[in-house]
């Protein structure tokens, strides 16, 4: 996992690229664009802020935008037009746990808001940030612990009555 200074540099590069994206690429023309087209625009805006030896891909390895070099992943990005669903957040958390990128971010574009909502994932918590679309100043909203992965992965258990009770009930019904 990347050190604190490296994660700070990666997050700064992300903010600079996203500031360009919001000032140049995010049209308010009301048209719906394909997710891959917007991911491509995001990748283009991030490219100048990362060294040339890093590769930037879209729709790769489960992430919407992935920045990698050889076997190292400095940044994985997941995004949504609206607020992330629980399923989308779980996907980002699982990706962060399994692939161990230096930084895993998810964000919500929220066209009707003056800010974007950033989800910054760490090993033990997720941090929620608002970044103003005009000034790109950030405000930390909250930090919540990520629950431990359950052993049954959310599997519902069917409660069966003990065999003894069922036999007693059958006898009573006769």
């Amino acid at each position: 996992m990347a050190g604190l200074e490296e994660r700070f540099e990666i997050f700064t590069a992300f903010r600079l690229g996203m500031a360009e994206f919001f000032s140049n690429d995010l049209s308010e023309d009301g048209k719906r664009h394909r997710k891959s087209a917007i991911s491509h625009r995001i990748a283009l805006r991030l490219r100048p802020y990362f060294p040339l030896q890093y590769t930037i891909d879209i729709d790769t390895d489960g992430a919407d935008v992935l920045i990698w070099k050889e076997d190292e992943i400095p940044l994985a990005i997941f995004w949504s037009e609206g607020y992330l669903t629980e399923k989308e957040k779980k996907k980002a958390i699982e990706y962060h746990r399994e692939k161990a990128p230096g930084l895993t971010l998810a964000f919500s574009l929220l066209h009707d808001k003056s800010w974007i909502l950033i989800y910054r994932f760490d090993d033990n918590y997720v941090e929620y940030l608002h970044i103003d679309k005009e000034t790109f100043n950030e405000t930390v909203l909250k930090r919540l612990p990520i629950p431990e992965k359950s052993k049954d992965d959310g599997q519902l258990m069917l409660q069966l009555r003990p065999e003894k009770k069922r036999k007693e009930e059958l006898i009573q019904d006769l």
Side-chain angles (χ1 to χ4, degrees):
M1 167 124 342
L4 186 59
E5 186 176 323
E6 185 179 356
R7 286 192 309 229
F8 179 76
E9 290 173 5
I10 292 167
F11 188 70
T12 300
F14 167 79
R15 284 184 53 195
L16 292 169
M18 291 306 293
E20 281 192 39
F21 171 77
F22 277 97
S23 64
N24 297 314
D25 295 306
L26 191 62
S27 62
E28 298 295 334
D29 58 8
K31 293 181 186 175
R32 302 283 297 170
H33 299 282
R34 296 183 91 163
K35 187 165 184 168
S36 59
I38 295 174
S39 293
H40 184 259
R41 290 178 185 174
I42 291 168
L44 288 173
R45 293 301 175 181
L46 291 173
R47 173 75 270 172
Y49 298 101
F50 287 89
L52 292 177
Q53 60 266 35
Y54 287 96
T55 301
I56 301 179
D57 283 325
I58 63 168
D59 303 328
T60 302
D61 201 27
D64 294 322
V65 179
L66 188 67
I67 298 175
W68 58 278
K69 176 186 169 189
E70 297 170 13
D71 60 347
E72 177 185 330
I73 303 172
L75 178 60
I77 300 172
F78 300 84
W79 68 273
S80 176
E81 295 277 342
Y83 293 100
L84 265 66
T85 64
E86 285 302 313
K87 184 178 178 180
E88 290 169 322
K89 282 189 246 180
K90 284 181 184 179
K91 179 181 175 183
I93 290 168
E94 289 303 314
Y95 188 92
H96 186 76
R97 285 180 174 160
E98 291 174 16
K99 306 290 183 170
L103 188 60
T104 302
L105 299 173
F107 66 91
S108 302
L109 289 178
L110 304 172
H111 296 286
D112 58 336
K113 305 288 184 188
S114 62
W115 40 266
I116 59 175
L117 177 61
I118 305 282
Y119 306 79
R120 186 167 42 195
F121 298 94
D122 204 326
D123 294 334
N124 303 317
Y125 64 87
V126 60
E127 195 169 55
Y128 295 78
L129 309 159
H130 274 175
I131 295 184
D132 185 275
K133 289 179 183 176
E134 294 285 322
T135 64
F136 250 73
N137 291 329
E138 72 181 66
T139 304
V140 177
L141 299 175
K142 61 184 172 180
R143 178 184 283 187
L144 297 175
I146 295 175
E148 290 295 319
K149 188 174 181 179
S150 65
K151 291 180 184 176
D152 62 10
D153 288 329
Q155 177 69 37
L156 295 176
M157 301 302 288
L158 179 60
Q159 295 278 339
L160 296 177
R161 293 184 289 180
E163 184 68 29
K164 189 175 184 180
K165 284 187 180 180
R166 279 193 267 155
K167 284 181 184 177
E168 290 174 6
E169 288 174 4
L170 286 174
I171 293 172
Q172 288 177 356
D173 289 338
L174 294 175

